[in-house]
């Protein structure tokens, strides 16, 4: 394994500089893409060399085109109609697979190249046929691919490109075994590409050794980069009831086209959405326990702006690119800094700006301080005068920004008392295989 940081070369400031297949150039122009983003400038020519790469660049910087364009170019200029699947893009959620599938379809307009979508919740037979019928590029989630691989076909034996988008997530515990199993079924001569905004931590690099050969690293960001286009605020809250009031107030008083509200659990997400709706907010909910049709319906409602508030679990934290999200609210502090970065990265995409607001109660102070420290960020303390609470933050702080003194027993008791009410309709899945508390299971 060799590893080098690819340094800037002469900027390629127009898509025409890449000499991509004419059909791709035409669709780029048709869809208004003129100037490649930085990651596209660096990654497209590199990937065209057919070597393996790890590419890291901040959320919303155009990574999808950076891997799709050179991959589609390669397929178009080297036609082979009987090679089975030639390029496979693996992603963590069905929603992201669908988004990339549509983007790929748009790029391939005017060509005879077909793209397939392989995810759970959709027709199994149709997807089985799709793999058998030599679909050159497939966008997929791992769960369904594994199911299809138990059949007698070997759809990836001629695979030329394997791409993991949100690669650190795909190589995390829970996902990595599935990815490695799939990779074993792929041709050894393939090119492998890993993309994410949070790629360069040690765990990922270790896993990368199992998947890539002599790769190079194109690292255009670090976890600690300032994000001037995203204003990061925190609002202190006394308890969950206070948080709910703050949430309703913010959604009524802030100016935004669309808002995305994150909750750490499926039950909490549903519990938050109902009162919002009852108070006239055009809100809906998305989490992994919903059936596929409902998930698709909800995504369409939000993308189309029929509803302008989506309350979601971390299912929506990775990769989704939805026009108009100007505010991200964390109802609870996310579990870690990486998670936080991806959640807030749903706003401030491309050249836009965004605001994020994290609601923090006293039991979450240390977690929040840990995230600030990890990311070397100082979140803006904001108070909502109309709903001022009692909690003003810890009286004494350690140098780390954390509370002096451990978690108090009283706080723990209070936490317990605050647990959200579990409604009957949320209990109907009890007894089935238990889903993880967050939406972080492989799909
Ligand atoms: P990332 O994967 O880095 O988070 P995406 O690939 O989802 O980012 O792209 C973010 C947004 O930027 C999308 O809406 C996409 O259409 C847009 N975009 C990508 N490349 C360009 C470009 N060269 N010029 C203008 N907009 C672009
Ligand atoms: Mg992306």
């Amino acid at each position: 394994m060799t590893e080098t940081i690819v340094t800037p070369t002469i900027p390629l400031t127009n898509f025409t500089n890449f000499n991509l297949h004419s059909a791709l150039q035409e669709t780029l122009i048709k869809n208004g893409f003129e100037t490649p983003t930085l990651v596209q400038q660096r990654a497209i020519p590199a990937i065209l060399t057919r070597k393996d790469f790890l590419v890291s660049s901040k959320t919303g910087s155009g990574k999808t085109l950076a891997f799709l364009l050179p991959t589609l170019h390669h397929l178009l200029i080297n036609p082979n109609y009987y090679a089975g699947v030639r390029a496979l893009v693996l992603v963590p959620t069905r929603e992201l697979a669908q988004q990339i599938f549509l983007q790929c379809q748009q790029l391939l307009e005017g060509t005879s190249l077909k793209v397939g979508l392989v995810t759970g919740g959709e027709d199994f037979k149709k997807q089985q046929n799709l793999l058998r019928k030599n679909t050159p590029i497939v966008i997929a989630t791992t769960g369904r691919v594994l199911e299809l691989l138990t059949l007698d076909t070997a759809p990836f034996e001629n695979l030329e490109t394997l791409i993991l988008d949100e690669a650190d997530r795909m190589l995390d515990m829970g996902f990595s075994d599935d990815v490695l199993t799939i990779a074993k079924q792929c041709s050894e001569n393939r090119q492998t590409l890993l993309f994410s905004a949070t790629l360069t931590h040690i765990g990922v690099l270790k896993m990368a050794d199992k998947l890539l050969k002599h790769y190079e690293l194109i690292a255009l960001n670090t976890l600690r980069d300032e994000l001037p286009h995203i204003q990061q605020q925190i609002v202190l809250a006394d308890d969950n009831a206070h948080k709910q009031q703050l949430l309703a107030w913010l959604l009524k008083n802030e100016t935004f086209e669309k808002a995305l509200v994150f909750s750490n659990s499926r039950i909490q997400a549903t519990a938050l959405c109902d009162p919002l709706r009852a108070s006239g907010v055009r809100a809906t909910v998305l989490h992994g326990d919903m059936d596929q049709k409902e998930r698709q319906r909800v995504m369409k409602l939000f993308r189309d702006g029929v509803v302008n508030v989506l309350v979601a679990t971390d299912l929506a934290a990775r990769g989704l690119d939805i026009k108009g999200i100007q505010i991200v609210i964390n109802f609870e502090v996310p579990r870690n800094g990486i998670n936080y970065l991806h959640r807030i990265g749903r706003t401030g995409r491309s050249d836009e700006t965004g605001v994020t607001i994290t609601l923090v109660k006293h039991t979450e102070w240390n977690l929040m301080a840990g995230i600030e420290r990890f990311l070397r960020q100082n979140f803006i303390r904001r108070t909502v005068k109309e709903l001022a609470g009692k909690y003003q933050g810890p009286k004494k702080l350690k140098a780390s920004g954390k509370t002096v003194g451990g978690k108090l027993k009283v706080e723990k008791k209070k936490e317990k008392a605050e647990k959200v009410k579990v409604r009957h309709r949320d209990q109907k899945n009890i007894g089935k295989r238990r889903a993880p508390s967050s939406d972080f299971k492989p799909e």
Side-chain angles (χ1 to χ4, degrees):
M1 193 273 293
T2 54
E3 226 184 87
T4 51
I5 306 284
V6 175
T7 43
T9 48
I10 309 153
L12 297 155
T13 49
N14 197 295
F15 277 113
T16 51
N17 296 131
F18 301 126
N19 290 324
L20 293 169
H21 188 279
S22 57
L24 295 175
Q25 300 220 35
E26 275 166 34
T27 41
L28 284 170
I29 294 169
K30 204 172 126 194
N31 292 296
F33 295 111
E34 222 174 85
T35 315
T37 63
L38 191 62
V39 66
Q40 292 158 6
Q41 292 177 29
R42 304 278 168 76
I44 293 172
I47 294 171
L48 286 171
T49 66
R50 309 292 304 152
K51 286 190 204 146
D52 288 2
F53 287 95
L54 252 78
V55 183
S56 156
S57 162
K58 71 177 183 204
T59 52
S61 59
K63 292 187 286 298
T64 322
L65 281 184
F67 62 72
L68 282 183
L69 285 172
T71 303
L72 298 180
H73 170 81
H74 172 77
L75 298 178
L76 285 166
I77 61 160
N78 302 290
N80 184 345
Y81 301 107
Y82 305 103
V85 179
R86 298 178 61 198
L88 175 65
V89 182
L90 293 176
V91 302
T93 66
R94 296 171 189 177
E95 283 71 18
L96 181 55
Q98 170 85 12
Q99 178 182 300
I100 298 175
F101 168 75
L102 292 176
Q103 215 170 336
C104 199
Q105 236 178 9
Q106 193 184 53
L107 287 170
L108 289 174
E109 254 174 45
T111 75
S112 59
L113 219 59
K114 290 271 174 293
V115 51
L117 177 67
V118 170
T119 67
E122 303 285 346
D123 191 83
F124 189 88
K125 269 261 173 297
K126 207 170 129 193
Q127 297 183 356
Q128 191 179 2
N129 281 336
L130 198 140
L131 294 192
R132 286 185 177 158
K133 279 191 183 153
N134 299 311
T135 309
I137 175 159
V138 166
I139 320 294
T141 51
T142 53
R144 179 54 62 87
V145 171
L146 283 176
E147 278 179 72
L148 288 164
L149 283 176
T150 57
L151 305 168
D152 54 351
T153 48
F156 307 132
E157 62 186 355
N158 296 319
L159 196 86
E160 289 160 68
T161 312
L162 173 66
I163 300 167
L164 304 188
D165 192 20
E166 304 298 336
D168 56 325
R169 181 79 206 98
M170 301 301 287
L171 296 175
D172 253 4
M173 273 190 3
F175 269 96
S176 58
D177 286 350
D178 292 357
V179 170
L180 292 176
T181 308
I182 295 167
K184 273 199 197 110
Q185 305 251 359
C186 298
S187 161
E188 284 224 1
N189 299 322
R190 65 174 193 268
Q191 176 185 45
T192 308
L193 306 170
L194 267 52
F195 274 75
S196 181
T198 50
L199 200 53
T200 45
H201 39 293
I202 189 74
V204 184
L205 298 177
K206 266 192 190 158
M207 283 300 296
D209 286 344
K210 297 190 184 183
L211 274 179
L212 293 88
K213 287 182 238 149
H214 310 293
Y215 66 83
E216 290 186 30
L217 184 64
I218 302 179
L220 301 177
N221 70 333
T222 77
L223 296 178
R224 271 118 201 188
D225 287 350
E226 279 185 25
L227 302 168
H229 59 301
I230 304 178
Q231 197 191 82
Q232 301 171 62
Q233 306 175 354
I234 58 166
V235 176
L236 298 183
D238 294 341
D239 48 31
N240 278 0
H242 187 207
K243 280 190 177 187
Q244 264 172 26
Q245 291 173 338
L246 286 164
L247 176 66
W249 188 94
L250 289 165
L251 292 174
K252 289 212 172 118
N253 292 281
E254 293 287 286
T255 314
F256 58 84
E257 196 181 322
K258 286 176 192 162
L260 181 56
V261 179
F262 280 105
S263 158
N264 285 0
S265 77
R266 297 167 181 185
I267 291 178
Q268 178 73 281
T270 309
L272 284 180
C273 191
D274 291 346
L276 286 176
R277 242 190 248 150
S279 71
V281 177
R282 284 186 291 131
T284 189
V285 68
L286 177 80
H287 59 70
D289 257 354
M290 291 160 49
D291 78 45
Q292 180 61 7
K293 280 218 171 75
E294 192 57 14
R295 277 165 72 163
Q296 272 181 336
R297 195 182 72 86
V298 159
M299 284 300 289
K300 187 164 174 358
L301 289 176
F302 192 51
R303 280 195 192 273
D304 293 349
V306 179
V307 295
N308 67 344
V309 175
L310 181 68
V311 185
T313 56
D314 279 309
L315 187 69
R318 290 268 184 167
L320 294 187
D321 183 66
I322 298 169
K323 292 266 166 301
I325 298 182
Q326 289 159 341
I327 291 196
V328 171
I329 300 177
N330 289 313
F331 186 80
E332 291 131 330
V333 178
R335 293 181 171 88
N336 59 52
I338 302 271
N339 223 3
Y340 175 86
L341 272 185
H342 287 282
R343 283 186 180 187
I344 69 164
R346 297 316 101 213
T347 186
R349 302 186 64 74
S350 211
D351 290 329
E352 314 254 299
T353 57
V355 174
T356 69
I357 306 163
T358 303
L359 305 181
V360 184
K361 60 184 178 184
H362 62 316
T363 50
E364 294 173 305
W365 176 274
N366 281 353
L367 183 55
M368 188 276 305
I371 292 175
E372 264 188 318
R373 203 170 146 84
F374 173 69
L375 300 175
R376 305 222 179 106
Q377 304 273 347
N378 282 314
F379 304 149
I380 300 165
R381 274 276 284 276
R382 171 175 171 186
T383 42
V384 173
K385 274 200 309 282
E386 293 80 349
L387 287 169
K390 288 186 217 76
Y391 181 54
Q392 296 300 316
K395 292 200 174 69
K396 268 188 173 175
L397 289 178
K398 292 183 198 165
S400 63
K402 295 188 176 174
T403 321
V404 174
K407 209 177 183 187
L408 299 172
K409 271 191 196 142
V410 198
E411 288 174 350
K412 277 198 170 167
K413 254 193 192 162
K414 209 169 168 202
E415 276 260 273
K416 244 188 182 170
E418 270 193 42
K419 273 206 167 155
V420 278
K421 188 177 155 197
V422 180
R423 291 160 199 269
H424 174 70
R425 65 170 175 274
D426 294 322
Q427 287 186 315
K428 55 187 182 216
N429 286 331
I430 289 174
K432 286 189 184 170
R433 199 167 60 89
R434 242 180 87 90
S437 56
S438 73
D439 265 0
F440 264 14
K441 61 170 190 183
E443 292 221 288

